Amino acid sequence: MKILWRFITLPWARKRLYLEAAFWLLLSWGLVRGVPFRLWSSWLGEQRPADAEPMAEEGEDPRVAPICRCIESINARLGGRLTCLMLAMAAHWMLRRRHIASSLVLGTLAERAPDQSLKLKAHAWIRHGSGVVLGGTTGEEYSPISCFVHAGSMARGQSR
């Protein structure tokens, strides 16, 4: 009840952001859990080599941080049940909707298990401008293998 009351008292702009994030998170959850990757991967943007950067815009966009905080907040309320790929997909789509350049990066990490077998881990994160804006706290040790880029409107020569 406390969470509902907090949501009700939020400004309308923040409520819309939370509702939009909930929609994209629900869609990403359904796709990851129920549909093969090859069928929806084209929705993530243009696939490029792992070292590709999003087309740089002038400076960092101030709308990026609230979007990422909102997505992380919803995941925290759900007990961290959503995967990094689901969070990255939702953020990438929300940034695309606002014509903000970003790239969704997929990476792997090989680790030795206690029984000396090789264990492969995967991680997804979002890059914007010069840095990682979502999923970067654990993504630093991962090696990027692929990225999906969305160039913002400013990068394509259009006005906002």
Side-chain angles (χ1 to χ4, degrees):
M1 198 64 174
K2 187 178 183 183
I3 295 171
L4 180 62
W5 180 250
R6 261 196 240 159
F7 179 77
I8 291 170
T9 60
L10 287 173
W12 277 106
R14 183 68 63 163
K15 284 180 194 174
R16 281 192 303 272
L17 192 63
Y18 271 100
L19 291 172
E20 180 186 353
F23 168 78
W24 290 117
L25 286 168
L26 182 63
L27 178 63
S28 65
W29 179 85
L31 289 173
V32 169
R33 295 285 184 209
V35 181
F37 182 75
R38 64 182 162 77
L39 296 179
W40 54 264
S41 63
S42 63
W43 298 356
L44 297 176
E46 178 187 343
Q47 187 172 9
R48 292 195 185 163
D51 57 351
E53 292 287 329
M55 301 235 175
E57 294 180 349
E58 290 298 317
E60 302 292 320
D61 196 307
R63 299 173 292 173
V64 174
I67 289 170
C68 294
R69 277 195 310 268
C70 182
I71 288 172
E72 290 169 337
S73 172
I74 290 173
N75 189 39
R77 297 281 181 237
L78 294 173
R81 291 190 176 117
L82 301 174
T83 65
C84 56
L85 179 58
M86 294 172 194
L87 301 176
M89 287 167 59
H92 195 55
W93 287 331
M94 288 177 75
L95 293 172
R96 174 188 287 179
R97 196 171 147 322
R98 289 161 178 78
H99 305 288
I100 300 171
S102 65
S103 62
L104 187 153
V105 184
L106 303 174
T108 59
L109 173 68
E111 284 185 340
R112 288 268 177 215
D115 64 354
Q116 295 303 316
S117 64
L118 196 58
K119 199 175 177 183
L120 195 62
K121 291 183 170 183
H123 186 56
W125 62 94
I126 296 289
R127 285 192 305 213
H128 166 69
S130 61
V132 176
V133 293
L134 183 73
T137 56
T138 57
E140 291 143 357
E141 62 260 6
Y142 287 79
S143 300
I145 57 170
S146 183
C147 82
F148 295 89
V149 176
H150 168 66
S153 61
M154 295 301 282
R156 290 183 295 205
Q158 301 171 357
S159 62
R160 283 189 193 197

